[in-house]
Amino acid sequence: MRIHQTLLATIGAALLTGCMLFARPPKDLDYSRTRASEGGRYRATIHPQGDTIPQGKLQRWTLHVETVAGAPVDSAAITVDGGMPQHGHGLPTKPRVTRALGHGDHVVEGMKFNMGGWWVVTFRVHADAGTDSVVFNLKL
């Protein structure tokens, strides 16, 4: 009996995951490269190397962070997370902010996207104005 329950649960999870692969992303996604943080403390802009975001290649980005008043944020602890909501997996690498360049610019190393589709990248900013998250939607 216990084996049957485990088997049914596994099959149900696989079917649910498979259905997510065929679901379309929401139609109202904002793909802009400048976004306000969720709590309204910051505004951030991503600058990938070049103008496009390639698949399958390690990339270095510049992340510009400023307060909503426009003051650059240089002294901050910033973490990076992300993934593909439709596929239920995270990024294939562990990108991180490696240094501040000044004027609100920060180097992000290790960005990589291994397939096309809808990706979400979240930067969690811990600075004097408080802790907040900036979420970017990407379509590759």
Side-chain angles (χ1 to χ4, degrees):
M1 182 68 165
R2 196 145 181 93
I3 293 173
H4 293 292
Q5 289 174 333
T6 303
L7 183 60
L8 285 174
T10 302
I11 291 170
L15 287 173
L16 182 60
T17 301
C19 289
M20 288 176 60
L21 293 176
F22 298 106
R24 294 189 181 273
K27 291 181 181 184
D28 60 346
L29 285 178
D30 182 354
Y31 293 107
S32 63
R33 294 198 180 173
T34 298
R35 300 291 310 261
S37 62
E38 292 180 334
R41 290 182 171 89
Y42 305 105
R43 183 173 38 249
T45 303
I46 54 172
H47 299 280
Q49 283 180 319
D51 196 35
T52 62
I53 300 172
Q55 290 180 39
K57 294 183 179 179
L58 276 176
Q59 306 160 51
R60 178 182 293 144
W61 289 6
T62 300
L63 172 70
H64 178 80
V65 182
E66 58 188 39
T67 65
V68 291
V73 176
D74 289 323
S75 182
I78 303 171
T79 57
V80 186
D81 196 14
M84 294 189 85
Q86 292 174 291
H87 292 213
H89 65 75
L91 295 167
T93 58
K94 298 207 181 294
R96 59 190 184 96
V97 174
T98 56
R99 67 185 181 280
L101 299 172
H103 308 287
D105 292 338
H106 304 266
V107 176
V108 182
E109 297 189 71
M111 296 300 297
K112 184 177 181 182
F113 305 95
N114 56 338
M115 65 179 67
W118 168 37
W119 289 86
V120 173
V121 176
T122 303
F123 294 94
R124 186 125 175 104
V125 181
H126 307 272
D128 289 343
T131 298
D132 208 346
S133 295
V134 186
V135 179
F136 293 91
N137 293 294
L138 307 173
K139 185 175 183 179
L140 277 74

